[in-house]
RNA sequence: GGGGUCGUAGUUCAGUUUGGUUAGAACGCCUGCCUGUCACGCAGGAGGCCGCGAGUUCGAGUCUCGUCGACCCCGCCA
């Protein structure tokens, strides 16, 4: 037998018993006349004590065992002397007096230390991820990841959802992120794609009458990576029939509440606040506002008409806008203002005018151009009559607002603007259905299956950018953690959208014919949402990268440092697939 | 594709600003001492292609160019 108990389960209830324990030798403390070993498994840590006077051979052999070797110990559970009880340890009231120690597997010198207080570089941590996963913090993460998945399953099962698997090998679709392709051996020159999400399948499941579907599922997008983006990531994907926005909101709020109860023992206030996309864009300069701090952007164009200040006047005359971002209680020095401007330029603003308000007057140049009563109005509007500073920017409406939005986040970080602690959820609704892509073409801002707001459908052809969609995002502390919509369930409308997106009837039929055809056979009104599982876990565990909550993540350049993928394959494999590799163009 | 930060012992970092004897520290490792430790303590020791390749120079960890890799950001991510 390899073990009769687990290390973490040893306690004073079993003193006097003989046990067999197996685990990793975490540490040896050799006091000369007394030898302590710490034995660890997933369940905990237990102390082994050897007295060399009475157990010479055992002590000599134990001294030779390297840390992190896997060993098997047979011994007696005995109480520690009262003054030696370690209250910090779950097993701290007892220790094991061994009769026999056996090394099952020897451990070489470790490339990363087991102790988490010694920080290891991320490159090494990824290369030796299996060692890093031994560390308590990582094990805690894995446990939390497991609990998140289980609590989602339990909640959705309780609410009548069925977990249905959808294919990983599917057809490549033209819209959206770049697909990962998988070559077909049988049909040379043809490819499967890995799903960017199970979107079309879950809609087809609604056509099948499944009514409530969910899946915790991997998705794949071949785009560049960030701290919160990996090439493969996990979604909680769900879809419901015969529902409207409010049904989704309510379900999701109850689900997040359950999750936070179960994982963090935190009671969320529901319902979550809501903001339309338009308001989010105007007040926060982005579509995923971090509402943990209040600073909001205001349009102050009307305060500066004919003010004589060239930058502002010219912007207004050109049809632009003047926007203001307050920074209450701050008072910027010349040098700090230079720093703010340098950052502003990185965010696409030509510059910002920073002015301090002392309760009565604005510092120059604003003070010079603004009349006293208007100045007072501004002080009241932007700073609620208290002292502070304001960042003004003028120019194109979108560029100005989004620049100030980025500056807002930077300012909060740089100047330690006080933040509300905890989890702050926010729904953003009424996204535009379309946006212009980099080439100036009309593209879906969510995805092409999103339903337009009914009263806006007449503008699809005449004024597409004004059409609102029935899409919604869930934001948590400034991160988009879920995104969904009510879908189109009408073939005619779906075809109209495809054609507006520049897909010919032939193309639409070829790429999405299966979905369009399905719409001929009785489609329930339906909608759904998909959560970034890794992002939720990152935020609930207070990490700042999803790599910290993914068991085996890739680097920002898409490499797996542990197994060195992607890697070349044998010529024979390529031939089987009918693939030849183009020679790299020399520069 | 673009911008930035970084790469020095097994590990984490200092040293690079201003080129100049033998490249340091801590942790880990090895040896010895130590009977109540629990990040044990004390003493000693080993350990370096300064990421890689060119160049400048009498001389390069240090300066220049290239290259590889990690991280952060922009583009991209329906």
């Amino acid at each position: 037998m390899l073990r009769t108990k687990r290390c973490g389960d040893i306690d004073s209830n079993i003193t006097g018993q003989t046990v067999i324990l197996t685990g990793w030798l975490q540490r040896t403390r050799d006091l000369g006349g007394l030898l302590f070993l710490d034995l660890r498994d997933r369940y905990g840590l237990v102390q082994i004590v050897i007295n060399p006077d009475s157990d010479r051979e055992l002590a000599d052999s134990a001294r030779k065992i390297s840390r992190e070797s896997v060993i098997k110990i047979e011994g007696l559970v005995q109480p520690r002397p009262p003054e030696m009880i370690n209250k910090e340890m779950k097993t701290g009231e007892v220790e094991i007096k061994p009769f026999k120690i056996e090394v099952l597997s020897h451990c070489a010198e470790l490339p990363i230390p087991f102790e988490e207080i010694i920080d290891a570089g991320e490159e090494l941590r990824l290369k030796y991820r299996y060692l890093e996963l031994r560390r308590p913090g990582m094990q805690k993460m894995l446990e939390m990841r497991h609990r998140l998945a289980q609590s989602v399953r339990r909640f959705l099962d309780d609410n009548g959802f069925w977990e249905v698997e959808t294919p990983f090998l599917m057809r490549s679709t033209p819209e959206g992120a770049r697909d990962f392709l998988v070559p077909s051996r049988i049909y040379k020159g043809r490819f499967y794609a890995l799903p960017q999400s199970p979107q079309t399948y879950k809609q087809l499941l609604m056509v099948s009458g499944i009514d409530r579907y969910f899946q915790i599922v991997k998705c794949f997008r071949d785009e560049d990576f960030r701290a919160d983006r990996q090439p493969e990531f996990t979604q909680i994907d769900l879809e419901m029939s015969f529902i409207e926005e409010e049904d989704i909101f309510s379900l999701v709020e109850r689900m997040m509440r359950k999750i936070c109860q179960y994982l963090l023992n935190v009671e969320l206030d529901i319902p979550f606040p809501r903001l339309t996309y338009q308001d989010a864009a105007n007040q926060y300069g982005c579509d995923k506002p971090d509402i943990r701090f209040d600073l909001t952007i205001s349009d102050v164009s009307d305060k500066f008409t004919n003010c004589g200040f060239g930058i502002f006047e010219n912007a207004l005359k050109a049809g632009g806008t003047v926007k203001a971002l307050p920074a209450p209680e701050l008072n910027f020095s010349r040098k700090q203002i230079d720093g703010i401007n340098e950052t502003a330029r990185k965010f696409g603003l030509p510059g910002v005018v920073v002015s301090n308000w002392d309760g009565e007057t604005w510092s120059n140049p604003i003070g010079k151009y603004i009349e006293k009563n208007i100045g007072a109005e501004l002080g009241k509007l932007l700073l609620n009559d208290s002292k502070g500073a304001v960042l003004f920017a003028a120019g194109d409406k979108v560029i100005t607002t989004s620049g100030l939005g980025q500056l807002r986040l930077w300012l909060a970080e740089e100047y330690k603007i006080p933040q509300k602690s905890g989890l702050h959820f926010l729904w953003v609704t009424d996204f535009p259905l379309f946006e212009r892509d980099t080439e100036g073409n009309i593209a879906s801002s969510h995805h092409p299956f999103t339903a337009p707001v009914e009263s806006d459908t007449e503008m699809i052809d005449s004024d597409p950018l004004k059409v609102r969609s029935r899409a919604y995002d869930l934001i948590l502390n400034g991160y988009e953690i879920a995104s969904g919509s009510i879908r189109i369930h009408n073939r005619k409308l779906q075809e109209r959208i495809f054609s507006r997106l520049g897909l010919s009837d032939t193309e639409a039929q070829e790429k999405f014919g299966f979905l369009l055809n399905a719409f001929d056979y009785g489609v329930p009104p339906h909608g759904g949402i998909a959560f970034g599982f890794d992002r939720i876990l990152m935020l609930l565990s207070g990490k700042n990268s999803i790599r910290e909550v993914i068991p085996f993540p890739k680097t920002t350049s898409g490499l797996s440092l542990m197994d060195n993928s992607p890697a070349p394959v044998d010529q024979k494999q390529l031939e089987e697939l009918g693939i030849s590799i183009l020679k790299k163009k020399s520069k």
Side-chain angles (χ1 to χ4, degrees), chain A residues 537-562:
Chain A
L537 195 58
M538 170 181 95
L539 292 166
L540 295 190
S541 60
K543 298 290 195 313
N544 47 25
S545 162
I546 60 168
R547 290 189 301 275
E548 298 295 321
V549 298
I550 293 175
F552 297 100
K554 300 197 171 35
T555 66
T556 43
S557 57
L559 300 174
S560 166
L561 296 180
M562 200 176 65

Side-chain angles (χ1 to χ4, degrees), chain A residues 403-460:
Chain A
L404 282 180
Q406 288 170 276
L407 216 43
R408 171 180 180 269
L409 295 175
W410 175 83
L411 209 64
E413 172 102 18
E414 186 77 10
Y415 287 95
K416 311 267 176 284
I417 307 265
Q419 283 189 351
K420 290 178 214 153
S421 62
L423 303 170
H424 294 272
F425 290 86
L426 174 75
W427 287 109
V428 177
T429 62
D430 295 284
F431 281 83
L433 188 65
F434 300 112
E435 60 192 19
R436 288 209 187 275
D437 67 14
T438 36
E439 281 117 46
N441 301 314
I442 295 285
S444 290
S445 44
H446 187 61
H447 60 51
F449 316 110
T450 303
V453 169
E454 182 135 18
S455 56
D456 289 359
T457 46
E458 58 196 38
M459 293 188 291
I460 290 176

Side-chain angles (χ1 to χ4, degrees), chain A residues 321-453:
Chain A
T321 177
V322 181
K323 297 257 182 175
L325 173 69
E329 289 168 45
L330 291 174
N331 187 309
F332 295 113
S333 67
R334 186 68 244 168
K335 198 177 162 193
Q336 287 172 321
I337 293 173
D338 287 345
I340 292 168
N341 265 288
E342 195 180 316
T343 309
R345 280 189 289 274
K346 278 187 210 158
F347 296 148
L349 294 171
V352 286
V353 176
V354 181
S355 185
N356 296 311
W357 167 254
D358 62 9
E360 287 186 19
T361 54
W362 291 94
S363 65
N364 285 329
I366 296 293
K368 195 157 80 183
Y369 291 104
I370 203 159
E371 281 173 40
K372 200 158 182 189
N373 59 329
I374 296 186
E377 276 174 42
L378 269 182
K380 182 160 191 175
L381 174 75
L382 299 172
L383 292 162
N384 201 19
D385 277 339
S386 320
K387 288 180 189 176
V390 172
L391 282 58
F392 294 93
D396 171 79
K397 192 176 167 187
V398 173
I399 293 172
T400 302
T401 319
S402 95
L404 282 180
Q406 288 170 276
L407 216 43
R408 171 180 180 269
L409 295 175
W410 175 83
L411 209 64
E413 172 102 18
E414 186 77 10
Y415 287 95
K416 311 267 176 284
I417 307 265
Q419 283 189 351
K420 290 178 214 153
S421 62
L423 303 170
H424 294 272
F425 290 86
L426 174 75
W427 287 109
V428 177
T429 62
D430 295 284
F431 281 83
L433 188 65
F434 300 112
E435 60 192 19
R436 288 209 187 275
D437 67 14
T438 36
E439 281 117 46
N441 301 314
I442 295 285
S444 290
S445 44
H446 187 61
H447 60 51
F449 316 110
T450 303
V453 169

